[in-house]
Amino acid sequence: MVAKYGPKASAAMPMWAGGRVIGSGELRQVPRPAREWAPELLDHLALAVRLFGSRRRVERKQSEMAILAVRSELRVASRRNVMSELVASLSHEINQPLGAILSNLAVSRVC
């Protein structure tokens, strides 16, 4: 761009989220030479950068909350699975001796 259009005027502001820079907001003017940006324009840029930075923070917080919800559902499903296996095992352990007792009773009646 600079080679084609010459020097340009620009202003950049860092975008902060979670205590670190996650990007920047910039104003550029091509193919104009360096210039002074109006304070109102820089204030608007700062506001836009803060809004986009907080939007990303909100999106990150929402995704963290969604992950926590899914983990909670997974824990519940895992507990249910363990309980169903335990119930199946207990019912087998109880039914096996009861079946043997009934079988022995049937044989003793025949004799």
Side-chain angles (χ1 to χ4, degrees), residues 11-16 24-27 38-54 57:
M13 294 196 176
M15 184 181 304
W16 292 85
S24 68
E26 299 182 16
L27 293 175
E40 299 85 29
L41 191 58
L42 293 176
D43 289 340
H44 290 282
L45 175 63
L47 176 62
V49 166
R50 278 196 308 273
L51 288 174
F52 282 113
S54 64
R57 194 172 333 143

Side-chain angles (χ1 to χ4, degrees), residues 12-101:
M13 294 196 176
M15 184 181 304
W16 292 85
R20 63 186 186 107
V21 176
I22 60 170
S24 68
E26 299 182 16
L27 293 175
R28 293 184 182 178
Q29 187 175 11
V30 176
R32 307 280 188 237
R35 65 176 269 195
E36 287 290 320
W37 296 98
E40 299 85 29
L41 191 58
L42 293 176
D43 289 340
H44 290 282
L45 175 63
L47 176 62
V49 166
R50 278 196 308 273
L51 288 174
F52 282 113
S54 64
R55 179 177 173 220
R56 285 201 174 172
R57 194 172 333 143
V58 167
E59 289 172 351
R60 187 174 334 151
K61 189 66 172 176
Q62 287 173 341
S63 66
E64 288 172 3
M65 291 177 68
I67 288 170
L68 289 175
V70 168
R71 284 182 182 166
S72 177
E73 290 176 19
L74 184 59
R75 277 193 299 271
V76 169
S78 177
R79 286 187 199 128
R80 286 182 180 154
N81 187 34
V82 168
M83 289 303 295
S84 67
E85 289 178 13
L86 181 62
V87 167
S89 176
L90 285 173
S91 67
H92 174 73
E93 293 298 324
I94 291 171
N95 284 331
Q96 189 175 9
L98 288 176
I101 291 169

